[in-house]
């Protein structure tokens, strides 16, 4: 992918890529917080803690059993099992504690402007379709991504509205109303197609 969440103006939220327009006057982290908690990130964080605890338990238990068998000369199965359980408990606690320290250290290095409370309202951000992100040049600016994403999404929405509207049953609709509605969809589609055409050429998409 040429552009992803590592782009200076982009972030990912709930499996979508967003770009922050320069005219918004807000930072990426601030805008990201305004969208609310990412349920996917929250669940992944919990799974990460569980993995650390499990790994710590295995390492701690195996280490303490190895010490008991080779240094302390413990050979009873029950005693070794008890030692493994104790070592696993200590290892799990140490692993989770180490993970917490690292996460707090990373949070402490965030800029002060990024560590504040979430904004009370949703800040401006534009969804970047993933195919646009893949086709965009690596040196694309945030505002270029905003423009390309907006025109691409508008074209696709207009095309979908025209196709879906053309399939409606107008037998019980006033002919004048139905004609005006179809004309409106066609006008929106033609306008969106005209604006989208140079974007399609630039990104290598099929022309409208």
């Amino acid at each position: 992918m040429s552009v992803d969440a590592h782009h200076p103006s982009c972030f990912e939220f709930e499996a979508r890529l967003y770009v922050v327009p320069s005219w918004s006057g807000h930072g990426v982290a601030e805008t990201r917080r305004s969208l609310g908690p990412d349920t996917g990130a929250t669940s992944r964080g919990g799974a990460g803690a569980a993995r650390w605890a499990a790994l710590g338990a295995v390492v701690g238990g195996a280490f303490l059993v190895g010490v008991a068998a080779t240094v302390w000369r413990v050979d009873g199965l029950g005693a070794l099992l008890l030692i493994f359980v104790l070592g696993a408990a200590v290892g799990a606690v140490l692993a989770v504690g180490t993970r917490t320290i690292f996460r707090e250290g990373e949070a402490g290095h965030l800029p002060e402007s990024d560590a504040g409370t979430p904004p009370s309202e949703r800040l401006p951000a534009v969804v970047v379709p993933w195919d646009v992100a893949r086709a965009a040049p690596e040196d694309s600016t945030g505002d270029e991504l905003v423009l390309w994403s907006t025109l691409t999404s508008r074209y696709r929405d207009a095309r979908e509205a025209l196709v879906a509207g053309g399939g409606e049953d107008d037998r019980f609709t006033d002919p004048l109303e139905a004609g005006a509605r179809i004309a409106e969809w066609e006008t929106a589609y033609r306008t969106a197609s005209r604006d989208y055409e140079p974007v399609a050429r630039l990104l290598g998409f099929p022309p409208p």
Side-chain angles (χ1 to χ4, degrees), residues 23-128:
W23 51 259
S24 73
H26 299 285
V28 172
E30 182 184 11
T31 304
R32 162 66 184 79
R33 288 199 308 272
S34 75
L35 270 62
D38 190 334
T39 55
T42 302
S43 62
R44 287 194 297 270
R51 286 196 296 268
W52 275 65
L55 180 60
V58 172
V59 173
F63 174 77
L64 203 57
V65 166
V67 171
T70 59
V71 179
W72 302 337
R73 303 299 180 182
V74 177
D75 55 3
L77 182 60
L80 288 175
L81 182 60
L82 179 60
I83 290 173
F84 178 85
V85 171
L86 293 175
V90 174
V93 171
L94 290 176
V96 173
T98 302
R99 176 179 181 271
T100 301
I101 292 173
F102 276 116
R103 288 174 66 89
E104 289 178 351
E106 292 175 355
H109 285 85
L110 289 175
E112 293 183 1
S113 59
D114 292 346
T117 57
S120 58
E121 60 182 12
R122 181 165 178 159
L123 300 179
V126 175
V127 176
V128 182

Side-chain angles (χ1 to χ4, degrees), residues 162-175 177-179 181-182 185:
L162 182 61
V163 172
E168 289 186 355
D169 189 349
D170 291 326
R171 287 178 298 174
F172 306 104
T173 305
D174 181 85
E177 180 183 347
R181 190 171 56 208
I182 293 175
W185 289 331

